[in-house]
Amino acid sequence: SQKIEQNSEALNIQEGKTATLTCNYTNYSPAYLQWYRQDPGRGPVFLLLIRENEKEKRKERLKVTFDTTLKQSLFHITASQPADSATYLCALDITGGSNYKLTFGKGTLLTVNP
Amino acid sequence: NAGVTQTPKFRVLKTGQSMTLLCAQDMNHEYMYWYRQDPGMGLRLIHYSVGEGTTAKGEVPDGYNVSRLKKQNFLLGLESAAPSQTSVYFCASRAPDGGSNQPQHFGDGTRLSIL
């Protein structure tokens, strides 16, 4: 069966360091992968999308990589700030190209300590 | 700019009661989704719709029904509420790809407790 795993339920880092979150998947070759941020009591908010033919994508302090050989995406937040504390979700389409359904990982709770 | 609006935000029901959760989007999106989010389980797709008048089952559809009579609204119904349906329910919408992959836009959820 399809599986999407995010490396840990919780990650604690010091302000100013780089946070690295991992998303692994099995038994599928998605055309793209998305990352979302979720704050307590709120719905997920889209951050970045990376396609299978893109190795890396950046947006301000965020960087996403996508290794289709390893079946893994890494999500980096550089110069982290306490305001970056949230749960981060990866999501991908595992429906074989229909491209309108996402399956989400369980998320990683990131806490950035001042 | 409302985006995706869910009502109600909170609700407590007794076992066996029925209710309808409303999702409204003002972005003219074709695709709409209902998820539930439980601790340790992540977001799971209940039902979805790819256009007005269409609905389809997701990963966990049992005990729920949906309707998409108008493009902007997607209703989720609980026919006979059970404690196992205690959860946070999220609605999302998305534009068709049109050549580029589109993200989903989420509401802020409905927190439902079944006693």
Side-chain angles (χ1 to χ4, degrees), chain A residues 45-60:
Chain A
V45 174
F46 171 75
L47 294 175
L48 282 169
L49 179 152
I50 186 164
R51 294 180 177 80
E52 61 178 338
N53 60 351
E54 297 175 320
K55 296 295 184 186
E56 179 180 300
K57 197 158 214 183
R58 293 176 184 260
K59 179 183 177 182
E60 298 173 352

Side-chain angles (χ1 to χ4, degrees), chain B:
Chain B
N1 187 8
V4 177
T5 303
Q6 293 184 233
T7 53
K9 296 189 186 311
F10 304 94
R11 186 73 184 267
V12 178
L13 287 179
K14 294 182 179 179
T15 298
Q17 288 184 316
S18 62
M19 78 162 295
T20 300
L21 281 64
L22 171 64
C23 176
Q25 53 95 5
D26 62 2
M27 296 170 283
N28 202 34
H29 285 170
E30 290 291 335
Y31 303 154
M32 296 188 74
Y33 309 85
W34 275 107
Y35 295 90
R36 60 178 290 173
Q37 188 173 41
D38 303 289
M41 298 297 293
L43 280 164
R44 293 182 291 170
L45 183 64
I46 304 172
H47 285 282
Y48 64 98
S49 168
V50 298
E52 182 178 317
T54 73
T55 63
K57 294 180 180 180
E59 182 185 358
V60 287
D62 293 343
Y64 305 95
N65 57 74
V66 288
S67 64
R68 184 98 182 267
L69 298 180
K70 294 183 178 180
K71 185 177 183 179
Q72 64 267 36
N73 296 337
F74 196 27
L75 306 179
L76 177 71
L78 281 70
E79 299 155 346
S80 178
S84 61
Q85 294 178 303
T86 294
S87 187
V88 182
Y89 292 86
F90 287 100
C91 175
S93 71
R94 207 203 85 167
D97 272 348
S100 64
N101 306 113
Q102 298 294 317
Q104 293 189 10
H105 300 260
F106 284 82
D108 280 336
T110 293
R111 283 140 191 85
L112 184 60
S113 293
I114 316 294
L115 305 179

Side-chain angles (χ1 to χ4, degrees), chain A residues 48-93:
Chain A
L48 282 169
L49 179 152
I50 186 164
R51 294 180 177 80
E52 61 178 338
N53 60 351
E54 297 175 320
K55 296 295 184 186
E56 179 180 300
K57 197 158 214 183
R58 293 176 184 260
K59 179 183 177 182
E60 298 173 352
R61 295 183 295 109
L62 308 181
K63 184 178 83 171
V64 173
T65 63
F66 195 10
D67 189 326
T68 55
T69 301
L70 293 178
K71 294 187 183 291
Q72 180 182 82
S73 175
L74 299 180
F75 178 82
H76 306 272
I77 305 175
T78 58
S80 60
Q81 305 166 1
D84 295 325
S85 298
T87 296
Y88 292 86
L89 309 170
C90 69
L92 51 88
D93 170 25

